[in-house]
Amino acid sequence: MLPWLVWTSAVLGLNLILGWAGQFHFGYAAIMGIGAYTAIHAARNSVPWEIAMILGGLMAAAIGIVFAFAALRVKGLYLALSTLALQFVMDWVISHVPAISGGTQATLQAPALKLLGQAITSEAGLYYVALGWCLLVTLFMLNLRRTGLGRALVAVREKDYAAAVIGVHSLYYKLVAFATSSFIGGVSGALLVFTFYRAATPEQFAFNISIELLAMVIVGGLGSIIGSFFGTAFILLMPGFMNSLINGAAKLAGVSLSVESLAHIPNAVYGALIIIFLLVEPMGLGKLYGNVRNYLLVWPFGYVRK
C-alpha cells in the first residue's frame, strides 16, 4: 500500500502534464530522482525533513522548467525526445558525480524520517506520511478542474494557438504545468526514498521507470484522477499478483512449471491484459470504471430515476 500511494502521487503529477496540458514527458523518473537526491543531501546537512522535501520539489521544478522551454518551440515526438534528453543527462550526472550519488557503489543512504522533529520508524507511521501526501496531491488535482488554471491547461492541450486567440497565454501555462508537475514528482521521489527504499540508487530512477510511469498514466486514463489510482495499482501490483495466481493454479492442477516458465508466463498474461483493457476502453481504466458506475446507477430500474 505504501509504495502504491507514493507512486500514485507521482502519476498524478505526470498526468498534469500529459492529461491536462497535453505535453509529452519521457523523463519523469529523472525528475523524481532530482527531488530524492536533493532531499537526502539537505537532510544529511541537518535541514529539517519538511524543508528538505520542499527543497527537493523546488530543485526538481527548477530543472524541469529549464527543459520545459523546449515545449515552447517543439511539439509531439520532438518534445518527447527533448524530455528524453533530460532523462539521459540526469542518469549520467547521478552515476558519475560522486558528490551527488555518494560515491559508495552509487548508493546514498537516506537519513531517518523526522516529522516535526519526531523520528518515524514504524511502518504504520511511514504509511500515514505517504497517505497524507497522496491526499494532498489528490485534493489539488480535484480542485484544479474548477480553477481558471485547469481550464486554461485544457485549452492549451486542445489547441494552443486557438487558446491564444481567446487570451490564454500558452507559454506561461505550459511553464506553470511543467513546474507544478515537476514539484509534485520531486517531492514524490523524495518521499519514496525516505519511506520505502531508505536509500537512493541510479537504477531506481532510470529510463525504464519513466516508461512504467507513462504506462500507469495511459492504462489509467489521460486526465483521470481515479484512473491514476487504478493505473498505478495495475502496473505496480498486477505482475506479482499474476505470478502468485499462476503458481497457485499450477499447484492445484498438479502441473510442474519450471522457474523459467514462472518468470515468463505471468509477464505474457500481464501484457495481454493491458492490450485487452485498452481494446475494451481506449480511454483507460478510469473511463471503464465510469462506464460501469453509470451502468449500475440505472440498472435494473433506470426508469425509477427518470
Side-chain angles (χ1 to χ4, degrees), residues 145-171:
R145 293 176 170 177
R146 307 185 184 92
T147 64
L149 172 62
R151 291 190 290 270
L153 290 177
V154 171
V156 171
R157 177 193 68 192
E158 297 301 326
K159 200 72 71 175
D160 53 357
Y161 57 82
V165 171
I166 62 175
V168 176
H169 200 307
S170 61
L171 183 150

Side-chain angles (χ1 to χ4, degrees), residues 4-5 12 29 48 70 81-82 87 93 109 142 161 176 188 192 196 200-201 210 222 235 264 268 281 305:
W4 173 57
L5 291 173
L12 286 169
L81 287 176
S82 65
Q87 179 70 53
V93 170
Q109 295 294 326
L142 286 171
Y161 57 82
V176 170
S188 299
L192 185 66
F196 186 63
T201 63
S210 290
L222 293 174
I235 299 296
H264 291 88
E281 182 49 73
R305 291 184 176 272

